[in-house]
Amino acid sequence: MHEPAGDIRRKLDLLVAGMTGLRHDGRFDEPNLDGTAGDYISFDSWEWPQGVGLYGLMRLWLFTGREDLKQLVEDWYSARLSAGLPSLNVNTTAPMLGLSVLWRETRDPRWQKPLDDWANRVMADMSRTEEGAFEHHVSDKINHHELWDDTLYMVALFLASYGQASGRRELVDEAARQFLVHSRYLADTRSGLWFHGWTFDGRHNFAEARWARGNAWITAGMLDLFDLADLPKPVEDFLQGVLVAQVNALLPLQTASGAWRTLLDDPTSYEEISATAGIGYGLLKGHRLGLGGQAWKAAGLKAAQAVMRNIDETGTVLNVSYGTRMGHDLKFYRDIPIQPTGYGQALSILCLSEALRHADAGEQAA
């Protein structure tokens, strides 16, 4: 069943207000490796949740044409660049994705040098594992020899987006390589789902957690990769096969509420809305782009309804799990606390934007 387009638009307005109003309340103390305070919640911090958030705002601007959203994002980047950027790692690369989309659409010369400089540093300086994959080093921890699902969304999508927009083919090729190597070690060939991580130290997938948000980064990220850059056909065909296998595994695990659980195949774990939003976005976009049939659309719309039920009157997305490190047992994932975050807001914006496309199309056809 479609949600009315007007209801979706009202929820989207609330989501934007909820995102920009996020502030760190001191609940989580996670100092960076350089001794500075880590802030993964406040909207004005340059970190990965805010990076995903800005990308969500950019996507909403492209869909709606709302100039206030464009201005909000431009002001954010201008202020952060003037203040100075943090050191390079996987997670501090995430805000560059939204900036690459902004530059692609506006060609504003303010943005190209920071984008070029960051892309050059990713290619030259980012630590790599065997087979050339980016190690998941973040602001507060060095994860030697480890591959995480998150890296593809935080780094590879930026390389694909900026490489395509700037004509730097080597960046697109690197993004494709990262998706291929991560698929080799993180996609579970038995179930079709993805594990959270892999380590070359001992060559294993840690707790073998089929973690929902990690899978959402893949469902959403694959669709965005196809959208952001032109890939070699064999690479695109291979990744589409990996994606379809994942979705085939995800569909029967959707709960009656429309959500997915934080451990996808663990009925004792809680329903988690950021993952639900990311998966829902991917399913709806995949259907729109012709990759999936009616089952994708139906599950995506059901996920969008679950997301809408979890947006409070302030526009805050509820039942979002906090940033999740690599777990060595499944209990670790079941115990991750609930906390409003920028990625919860952004993935919900992406999901409802896609749902709005379906709602508008349905109302026009009626």
Side-chain angles (χ1 to χ4, degrees), residues 20-42:
T20 58
L22 288 174
R23 295 292 180 271
H24 194 284
D25 62 4
R27 180 182 175 197
F28 300 99
D29 179 24
E30 298 182 274
N32 295 324
L33 290 170
D34 62 8
T36 58
D39 184 351
Y40 300 93
I41 298 171
S42 303

Side-chain angles (χ1 to χ4, degrees), residues 70 74 81 99 102-117 162:
K70 174 172 171 278
E74 286 184 329
L81 290 169
L99 188 62
L102 180 62
W103 179 77
R104 182 192 74 194
E105 296 299 317
T106 66
R107 298 290 160 159
D108 188 322
R110 287 180 293 171
W111 315 130
Q112 188 164 18
K113 187 176 188 306
L115 286 163
D116 263 330
D117 289 349
Y162 185 58

